[in-house]
Amino acid sequence: MSIYVNKDTRVIVQGITGKQGAFHTEKMLEYGTAVVGGVTPGKGGQKLLDVPVFNTVYDAVKNTGANASVIYVPPKFAADSIIEAIDAGIQIIVCITEGIPVLDMARVKHYLDGSSSRLIGPNCPGIITPGQCKIGIMPGYIHIPGHVGVISRSGTLTYEAVKQLSDRGIGQSTVVGIGGDPIRGTGFLDCLKAFEADPETCAVVLNGEIGGSGEEEAASFIRTMTKPVAAFIGGQSAPAGKRMGHAGAIISGGKGTASGKIAALREAGAEVAMTPDQIGASLVRALEKRGIRPSEL
Amino acid sequence: MKIHEYQAKEMLASYGAPVPRGIPAKTVDQAYEAASKFGSCVVKAQVHSGGRGKAGGVKFAETPEKARSVAEAMLGMKLITKQTGPEGKIVRQLLISEAVDVEREFYLSITGDSERAGLVIVASAAGGTEIEETAKEHPEAIVQIPVSVIEGFKSYQGIRAAEVLGLEGDLQKQLISLLGKLVKLYLEKDCSLVEINPLVQTTDGKLLCLDAKVNFDDNALFRHPELAPMRDINEEDPKEYSASLSDLNYVSLDGDIGCLVNGAGLAMATMDIIKNFGGSPANFLDVGGSATTERVKSAFEIILSDGNVKAIFVNIFGGIMKCDIIAEGLVQATRDMGLSIPVVVRLEGTNVDLGRKIIEDSGLAIIAASDMADGARKAIAAAKGVKA
């Protein structure tokens, strides 16, 4: 088992004929993801890597039975692409695009709330259930199937955490990059609830960072969880008032500091790594505290 | 993107919001001429920073002659405010603003609310002071009123704000009208902040935006070409500005270890580990997911233009970015620029073996690190001039 995506997930790529879209379509196919179609307006009827291209998401869904989509379109068109996927009834929409205007995402978020679709991202590496389905830009080979869920606001830091787990022989159930923007479709809380309910997930790693209050909300749920949680918060050394690359990574008005988030997570019982090289070790400690040996996962 | 007060006020005025009459001035003569139109006036330094008043950047002048001497002293001065840091900002422009008789001061702003995916009006009867301070000392004196990005402004939101500010009758009507205009501006121009501090009630019963700060969402600038000429690069950190031209995410810090990392989260974590191990990062730098050899080179140039940097830590986890590309960029940059300081490189991810081999074969004195912690330790030691 896993959360959100698995071997039955049928994916279409929005922006499949673009440079990024084409490159990652190939990588996803190599990994074994069921990429069943692509969308680029005006290029319907073509094929890319044997994958049929359609003019609209509606056409793609009608012809392929897709239930997930991944968006690689430029920021000015990305909000419309998300709305198109919602209207076509796509269940899991993964938006990789970075740099979408905040007001566009605010409007999308309201549209999303009235639908049955789930959006992952934007500005994220995507989601992977190792050995079954990879949707996004992460290097597939660092993952191994297993029972630890990973949630992260970052891309490369997620890879770092996953590698530390895999190097210890600890596999992952599902790895979700929720993205670095201030307004996102799926948050820490959604993923934690899903992992808590997933019978195949035994523990969770949470990679947070400065800005916003998602980690604090996560902490109040972690308190009630039956599964152990390890965490790392990036940006402990970041100055206040400066945006650290991610649009959402900013300490403003004394809110969103790393120390506040670390304290909230610790208080909730999470094992917090103080440096990023200790993420894997922290998970092992969190497991051992519950009397679980990592090799028994 | 930030703009100057005079630009913000021009924009507010174009939306029909009440602002005092004002004229921007770049020279003492322009300042004198402007002041002659008003009689008594306020001379205001135009720099991208709050706290100008306390730093001596806002001065009252009873006569045009006085305005001339104030302008003379202010133009070219280094204004050091709480927000600029010790390096301060050079005053290159002034706003000569008509003096007004103030009865009461308020705080008013509109900003984004990511939790609700909307906007929020922030109002307080404690005007003139920084809202962060009011929030700390008198949180009860601040009201936050959510506004929907779909529905826009509603008059009941203005009535609530007026109650908090203690405005009744015609003043309440003026506030409702003003808030409607500010929300319209925020939504139409993709702002990230519209702040009026202080908003004042004059002795003749008018609301007036005595100061104004308007910031824009950088991601939305593509649909507002009219805003581009308002950017003042003099106000930006020169290293951050040249980084932005190369599409690099760079933030200048005050340490001595330059960091070159792919991905914002890993870049932040790299600074953290350096600090945690007793070192001090000189910058945040994310080269992005699709860096080319040229981008890696410009990243190096920007890091090296910081005179405090004594060692560089390159921390790469290749996902989309292949390690051999980074390695080639590194080797080329090192050859072209003749690096004079130690460079520690940690490579991981896609094509890592190829990348490591390229660096090894180059014969350059690049220090290899086995993982992030090893790299951080070696960079700290190198910056101190010792071997790890």
Side-chain angles (χ1 to χ4, degrees):
Chain A
M1 271 283 283
S2 55
I3 68 168
Y4 306 145
V5 299
N6 57 38
K7 61 179 173 24
D8 300 322
T9 304
R10 295 168 64 79
V11 185
I12 55 162
V13 179
Q14 292 177 254
I16 191 167
T17 55
K19 195 175 153 214
Q20 279 231 14
F23 177 79
H24 290 293
T25 298
E26 188 176 0
K27 297 284 160 197
M28 289 189 283
L29 286 167
E30 273 171 25
Y31 195 78
T33 304
V35 180
V36 296
V39 177
T40 298
K43 298 203 173 164
Q46 299 182 8
K47 278 200 167 189
L48 189 126
L49 304 161
D50 265 347
V51 174
V53 180
F54 301 92
N55 285 322
T56 64
V57 179
Y58 176 82
D59 284 344
V61 170
K62 199 171 72 179
N63 286 286
T64 66
N67 53 9
S69 93
V70 57
I71 296 172
Y72 294 102
V73 308
K76 43 170 113 172
F77 310 115
D80 283 3
S81 294
I82 298 170
I83 290 170
E84 185 184 355
I86 296 169
D87 281 343
I90 295 280
Q91 288 307 295
I92 300 288
I93 304 163
V94 181
C95 185
I96 308 299
T97 310
E98 175 175 8
I100 303 177
V102 176
L103 288 177
D104 286 6
M105 271 316 298
R107 293 181 184 110
V108 164
K109 180 85 174 166
H110 289 285
Y111 200 60
L112 193 65
D113 283 348
S115 77
S116 62
S117 302
R118 167 171 300 286
L119 172 69
I120 293 168
N123 189 11
C124 79
I127 176 170
I128 180 168
T129 291
Q132 298 187 38
C133 178
K134 167 184 127 119
I135 306 179
I137 60 175
M138 65 290 279
Y141 74 93
I142 59 171
H143 303 81
I144 54 176
H147 304 283
V148 174
V150 179
I151 323 165
S152 178
R153 277 168 73 182
S154 148
T156 44
L157 187 60
T158 317
Y159 314 158
E160 185 74 45
V162 167
K163 183 171 190 306
Q164 288 177 28
L165 297 177
S166 295
D167 282 353
R168 286 174 166 79
I170 302 170
Q172 305 91 43
S173 52
T174 300
V175 179
V176 195
I178 59 173
D181 274 6
I183 300 178
R184 50 185 167 246
T186 296
F188 283 122
L189 194 56
D190 304 299
C191 298
L192 283 174
K193 284 180 179 166
F195 280 132
E196 175 73 359
D198 174 31
E200 291 294 316
T201 298
C202 302
V204 179
V205 170
L206 181 153
N207 265 347
E209 64 192 30
I210 54 165
S213 59
E215 292 81 357
E216 285 83 345
E217 281 165 27
S220 56
F221 181 73
I222 289 170
R223 196 186 302 276
T224 69
M225 281 175 69
T226 61
K227 300 174 182 176
V229 176
F232 172 72
I233 302 296
Q236 295 167 49
S237 58
K242 285 275 191 181
R243 215 170 278 283
M244 306 306 280
H246 285 154
I250 181 166
I251 301 166
S252 51
K255 287 206 177 121
T257 63
S259 57
K261 291 173 189 294
I262 291 169
L265 288 163
R266 282 227 167 104
E267 219 220 313
E271 190 68 34
V272 182
M274 289 314 285
T275 53
D277 59 316
Q278 295 296 311
I279 298 170
S282 295
L283 179 78
V284 171
R285 270 202 307 280
L287 290 169
E288 281 169 349
K289 273 190 185 167
R290 307 279 180 105
I292 310 165
R293 260 185 258 146
S295 57
E296 287 170 358
L297 274 182
Chain B
M1 186 180 95
K2 293 179 178 177
I3 58 174
H4 287 294
E5 175 196 1
Y6 80 91
Q7 295 165 319
K9 282 181 170 168
E10 282 168 8
M11 191 162 266
L12 287 176
S14 75
Y15 274 80
V19 297
R21 287 191 298 158
I23 299 169
K26 283 187 174 167
T27 65
V28 174
D29 287 342
Q30 284 174 0
Y32 176 78
E33 199 185 311
S36 306
K37 296 202 168 96
F38 300 137
S40 61
C41 67
V42 181
V43 180
K44 307 182 84 177
Q46 297 297 288
V47 294
H48 290 181
S49 171
R52 290 171 300 164
K54 280 181 193 148
V58 180
K59 293 214 159 120
F60 177 71
E62 299 89 348
T63 62
E65 286 69 32
K66 182 74 197 304
R68 175 190 281 279
S69 65
V70 169
E72 215 154 20
M74 215 181 267
L75 276 170
M77 83 181 268
K78 190 185 271 182
L79 197 68
I80 300 170
T81 73
K82 233 172 79 185
Q83 292 175 15
T84 60
E87 64 274 20
K89 277 191 168 155
I90 305 284
V91 180
R92 292 181 170 86
Q93 216 171 162
L94 304 170
L95 173 64
I96 310 303
S97 188
E98 172 185 41
V100 293
D101 293 320
V102 173
E103 190 162 310
R104 284 198 287 170
E105 295 193 331
F106 313 101
Y107 174 93
L108 195 63
S109 73
I110 300 169
T111 187
D113 176 355
S114 49
E115 259 88 83
R116 290 196 190 91
L119 310 185
V120 60
I121 294 170
V122 182
S124 164
T129 49
E130 281 175 46
I131 195 70
E132 281 86 0
E133 278 168 30
T134 313
K136 223 180 284 166
E137 281 153 32
H138 303 285
E140 74 289 346
I142 297 175
V143 66
Q144 299 197 28
I145 305 162
V147 177
S148 159
V149 292
I150 313 283
E151 299 294 331
F153 177 73
K154 305 284 174 195
S155 59
Y156 72 85
Q157 294 156 346
I159 297 172
R160 258 194 83 194
E163 277 169 3
V164 172
L165 302 186
L167 297 175
E168 290 168 350
D170 183 56
L171 283 163
Q172 186 193 84
K173 279 190 196 132
Q174 288 182 46
L175 183 73
I176 293 170
S177 157
L178 171 63
L179 277 169
K181 288 162 183 160
L182 298 183
V183 170
K184 188 166 186 272
L185 161 69
Y186 193 105
L187 293 173
E188 283 183 359
K189 297 285 181 189
D190 280 285
C191 297
S192 56
L193 176 71
V194 175
E195 185 182 66
I196 314 297
N197 188 23
L199 169 73
V200 300
Q201 176 189 334
T202 59
T203 46
D204 59 351
K206 295 271 180 288
L207 288 185
L208 210 52
C209 303
L210 207 58
D211 197 354
K213 189 194 275 184
V214 177
N215 297 348
F216 304 96
D217 176 4
D218 291 338
N219 288 344
L221 290 177
F222 70 84
R223 59 185 169 213
H224 301 289
E226 75 283 5
L227 298 177
M230 291 186 168
R231 184 171 178 182
D232 183 354
I233 60 168
N234 285 322
E235 294 294 323
E236 298 177 32
D237 178 294
K239 295 190 291 291
E240 290 177 18
Y241 175 68
S242 54
S244 75
L245 295 182
S246 304
D247 257 336
L248 297 164
N249 270 315
Y250 175 92
V251 178
S252 184
L253 302 168
D254 53 11
D256 58 5
I257 299 174
C259 303
L260 193 163
V261 189
N262 69 325
L266 191 62
M268 256 185 281
T270 303
M271 289 162 38
D272 292 346
I273 197 167
I274 289 172
K275 193 111 178 198
N276 200 284
F277 287 177
S280 184
N283 64 277
F284 164 96
L285 193 156
D286 168 16
V287 289
S290 53
T292 56
T293 309
E294 284 69 43
R295 261 170 101 181
V296 174
K297 243 182 92 177
S298 3
F300 260 101
E301 274 164 11
I302 290 156
I303 291 174
L304 286 171
S305 68
D306 179 346
N308 294 328
V309 171
K310 295 204 183 75
I312 298 179
F313 180 21
V314 179
N315 186 13
I316 301 293
F317 202 120
I320 333 170
M321 163 99 86
K322 297 185 191 85
C323 289
D324 50 322
I325 303 271
I326 275 281
E328 257 161 30
L330 252 169
V331 168
Q332 204 169 313
T334 317
R335 284 219 174 101
D336 293 359
M337 299 164 61
L339 287 188
S340 49
I341 55 168
V343 178
V344 178
V345 177
R346 179 271 179 139
L347 288 180
E348 195 56 73
T350 311
N351 293 357
V352 59
D353 295 330
L354 206 55
R356 286 183 185 153
K357 194 169 176 314
I358 289 168
I359 288 177
E360 232 168 73
D361 292 350
S362 73
L364 293 165
I366 290 172
I367 305 165
S370 56
D371 58 30
M372 188 170 1
D374 183 44
R377 283 197 191 91
K378 283 179 173 159
I380 293 166
K384 286 187 183 139
V386 295
K387 236 182 144 183

